[in-house]
Amino acid sequence: MKRIYDFGRNPAQRNYTVTDLKALKGSDRKLSMSNPADRDQITACVDAGIDLFVVGTDQMEDVRELAPTHFAGAGSTWAQFGSDDEIVAHAFEAMRRGADMYYTLRSFDVMECMAREGIPVQSHIGLIPTFSHHYGGLRAFGRTSEEAMQVWERLKRMEDVGVFAVEVECLAEEVLLAINDKTSVVTFSLGSGMGGDAIFSFVADVCGEASEEEKPPKHAHAFGDVGRLHKQIHEERVAALGEFHREVVDGNFPYAPTNIGMKPDEKDKFLDALEGWTPTHQ
């Protein structure tokens, strides 16, 4: 555990620092990474020993309460802000709240601006779902030599402007294995094989939360079956609400044990008072 000051100038501790993650390059150690979406999931990830988090900026207060020592990134979606100034301002806000890095898909100029100000910047290579219109839909990347070189050149451009880390999504495993040690950029592999410095997967995928109708992506592997529990909870909820409705309609509920009674002898006093009551003013 490392003693630090966070980017809001608060004394803190972290399980991993920027320097620690950079030092993973070339090592056999792989870190786990996931995206807890609420307080229950944050606590579950902590209890499970997950190493690194990526969350929404509005979750940072919960993360710092429930996982005060975890390295946690925040960020914004591509279309969340219109101007460069807005996104840079949001990056500073995320860091003030306790983020350890900031995710952006915006231009190299924006990435360079943030990095120049000292913000550890994370971006994205391989499949970027936001840009799937440009790619002809959701698909794998780097399956040809030409496309693999395009991904490599984009990564090197990011490195040149100061990007600290990238999510590598659905890139051919051979490509990431070949390029990972040729860059100082920390890589988070999502569906891109064992070449990443950390292995990232979504909480919903890890826990098996997809419904029977949903088809998880190829990279998703369910280590649990929380979806079954969600279905069971829904069925139990429907059954309970249905029984409540029927008992109300049949005139049986509320049941006597659920009702409140007056103190002894107070009912008759109240009824006498009510019978003899006259308004004091009209």
Side-chain angles (χ1 to χ4, degrees):
M1 200 66 64
K2 303 294 178 63
R3 295 173 61 242
I4 65 162
Y5 277 89
D6 67 16
F7 289 91
R9 198 62 170 81
N10 303 300
Q13 291 184 326
R14 290 291 186 272
N15 57 348
Y16 294 96
T17 65
V18 168
T19 297
D20 294 330
L21 296 183
K22 288 181 176 180
L24 285 173
K25 309 296 293 188
S27 74
D28 294 329
R29 174 76 187 279
K30 300 294 182 185
L31 300 182
S32 60
M33 185 177 193
S34 199
N35 67 325
D38 55 34
R39 292 177 65 88
D40 287 343
Q41 290 187 5
I42 293 168
T43 301
C45 284
V46 171
D47 291 346
I50 300 300
D51 293 308
L52 312 173
F53 295 164
V54 57
V55 300
T57 299
D58 59 355
Q59 293 175 260
M60 285 311 307
E61 284 78 8
D62 288 340
V63 169
R64 288 299 159 233
E65 176 189 344
L66 301 172
T69 64
H70 269 66
F71 185 99
S76 59
T77 60
W78 175 78
Q80 188 172 345
F81 301 102
S83 71
D84 293 352
D85 288 344
E86 286 178 305
I87 191 160
V88 172
H90 186 259
F92 277 106
E93 176 62 20
M95 306 311 288
R96 278 192 293 269
R97 291 188 179 191
D100 297 306
M101 68 181 178
Y102 188 85
Y103 172 91
T104 181
L105 291 172
R106 298 296 282 263
S107 69
F108 292 118
D109 288 342
V110 172
M111 295 179 197
E112 186 172 27
C113 175
M114 293 182 187
R116 189 169 59 244
E117 295 293 344
I119 296 173
V121 177
Q122 179 198 349
S123 195
H124 202 139
I125 59 174
L127 169 63
I128 304 174
T130 301
F131 299 152
S132 54
H133 269 296
H134 297 305
Y135 307 148
L138 299 172
R139 64 175 179 84
F141 269 72
R143 302 191 73 182
T144 67
S145 175
E146 179 182 7
E147 191 169 76
M149 284 303 300
Q150 291 172 355
V151 172
W152 165 245
E153 289 168 359
R154 180 170 178 81
L155 176 60
K156 290 302 288 183
R157 179 72 187 280
M158 289 179 178
E159 184 177 44
D160 290 343
V161 300
V163 168
F164 151 67
V166 292
E167 178 182 328
V168 187
E169 183 170 355
C170 295
L171 181 67
E173 182 175 28
E174 300 93 328
V175 179
L176 184 53
L177 284 168
I179 68 177
N180 194 48
D181 291 340
K182 298 181 183 299
T183 176
S184 64
V185 178
V186 178
T187 58
F188 306 137
S189 173
L190 173 62
S192 301
M194 293 292 293
D197 302 308
I199 307 302
F200 175 66
S201 191
F202 297 111
V203 169
D205 291 339
V206 171
C207 296
E209 298 194 36
S211 68
E212 295 177 356
E213 296 77 19
E214 294 173 325
K215 183 180 179 182
K218 178 179 173 60
H219 60 73
H221 180 84
F223 293 85
D225 192 5
V226 175
R228 172 183 57 83
L229 300 178
H230 286 325
K231 181 179 180 182
Q232 181 180 347
I233 290 170
H234 175 74
E235 291 172 349
E236 290 284 343
R237 183 174 286 127
V238 171
L241 290 168
E243 182 67 13
F244 160 71
H245 170 73
R246 286 186 292 273
E247 288 291 83
V248 170
V249 171
D250 291 343
N252 297 326
F253 187 83
Y255 302 136
T258 69
N259 297 332
I260 299 170
M262 297 184 75
K263 294 180 179 180
D265 300 326
E266 292 298 317
K267 177 182 176 181
D268 289 341
K269 294 179 184 178
F270 167 66
L271 293 179
D272 289 343
L274 185 63
E275 183 68 23
W277 178 81
T278 57
T280 58
H281 59 82
Q282 297 296 330

